[in-house]
Amino acid sequence: MTKKNNPDELEPTKVEIMEATYHALGKHGYDSLTIQDIADEFNHSRTLLYYHYDGRDELLVDFLGYVLYEFLENLPDEKKSARAELETLVETLLPATLDEQVYRVQLAMFELRVNGPHDRDAREQYLRVDNELRDLLEDIFTRGLEAGEFAEIDPAVEAELFLSLLTGTRTRRLTVYDPDESIHMLRDAITTQIEWIAAN
């Protein structure tokens, strides 16, 4: 990701704005979020927010880059068995339940994704993350195939399938499940797919 989105490369004020936005989204959600809500979580003046951003939408696209960078940095990078790494990835992306604040922020990120067809910057952020996640999955399946852990699969095709499974399951969790409601049945379906490619 560009330095603009890397938290380690952001000036301290920008980091504070991003953290204030995270807390404001956790309290108010996406639709009703205002610059004032963010300012209420910010230790500086609202004027300083407008010094850096023209408005809420521009700030949220920057926030999206900030959150997605953190998301990619925290994906499992354990060089254990390919199957174990795949299972860890599923657990990371789809925990059984969610904290209320985490749920609200993830829902806001989902709403930004849905806005992708109308917001080129948001679309490009998500397209890049999808590509990186697909590349990670393809690498896992390639190593699993070479090690004899997986059946004779096409790693590229399987990566596309799992990217859609994971994205679709995260969408279902955010749109039809309460944050404290377990999604074990959805997880079981993905586990069954993992067992199928490992057994054939």
Side-chain angles (χ1 to χ4, degrees), residues 171-184:
T171 298
R172 289 182 65 193
R173 118 87 54 79
L174 292 170
T175 53
V176 298
Y177 284 79
D178 293 327
D180 60 350
E181 188 176 359
S182 174
I183 59 165
H184 70 275

Side-chain angles (χ1 to χ4, degrees), residues 45-116:
S45 70
R46 175 174 165 169
T47 304
L48 188 55
L49 289 178
Y50 279 112
Y51 173 78
H52 290 282
Y53 299 100
D54 289 335
R56 188 195 83 146
D57 291 344
E58 182 186 1
L59 193 161
L60 284 177
V61 168
D62 221 15
F63 175 74
L64 176 62
Y66 178 83
V67 170
L68 293 181
Y69 183 92
E70 290 288 300
F71 168 77
L72 291 172
E73 286 295 295
N74 289 314
L75 288 177
D77 188 25
E78 303 163 10
K79 297 305 179 186
K80 46 188 178 182
S81 78
R83 177 172 177 171
E85 190 175 346
L86 181 59
E87 290 169 341
T88 300
L89 179 62
V90 171
E91 173 65 34
T92 301
L93 296 178
L94 298 169
T97 60
L98 288 177
D99 171 85
E100 178 72 29
Q101 184 179 43
V102 173
Y103 169 81
R104 282 179 170 271
V105 173
Q106 285 194 9
L107 186 58
M109 297 300 95
F110 167 72
E111 289 169 312
L112 277 168
R113 178 186 274 270
V114 171
N115 200 42

Side-chain angles (χ1 to χ4, degrees), residues 89-192:
L89 179 62
V90 171
E91 173 65 34
T92 301
L93 296 178
L94 298 169
T97 60
L98 288 177
D99 171 85
E100 178 72 29
Q101 184 179 43
V102 173
Y103 169 81
R104 282 179 170 271
V105 173
Q106 285 194 9
L107 186 58
M109 297 300 95
F110 167 72
E111 289 169 312
L112 277 168
R113 178 186 274 270
V114 171
N115 200 42
H118 313 289
D119 187 326
R120 185 177 182 85
D121 290 335
R123 179 175 179 270
E124 288 179 354
Q125 293 275 28
Y126 271 112
L127 181 60
R128 191 181 50 74
V129 169
D130 281 358
N131 288 340
E132 292 199 34
L133 187 53
R134 184 180 57 244
D135 288 347
L136 173 61
L137 285 163
E138 186 171 347
D139 177 65
I140 291 172
F141 288 123
T142 298
R143 287 188 284 109
L145 182 62
E146 291 171 350
E149 290 185 75
F150 295 139
E152 288 298 317
I153 57 172
D154 182 326
V157 171
E158 207 67 35
E160 287 286 358
L161 172 63
F162 268 79
L163 178 60
S164 294
L165 284 173
L166 293 168
T167 302
T169 302
R170 282 169 67 89
T171 298
R172 289 182 65 193
R173 118 87 54 79
L174 292 170
T175 53
V176 298
Y177 284 79
D178 293 327
D180 60 350
E181 188 176 359
S182 174
I183 59 165
H184 70 275
M185 289 186 67
L186 304 183
R187 287 262 303 270
D188 287 349
I190 295 176
T191 298
T192 298

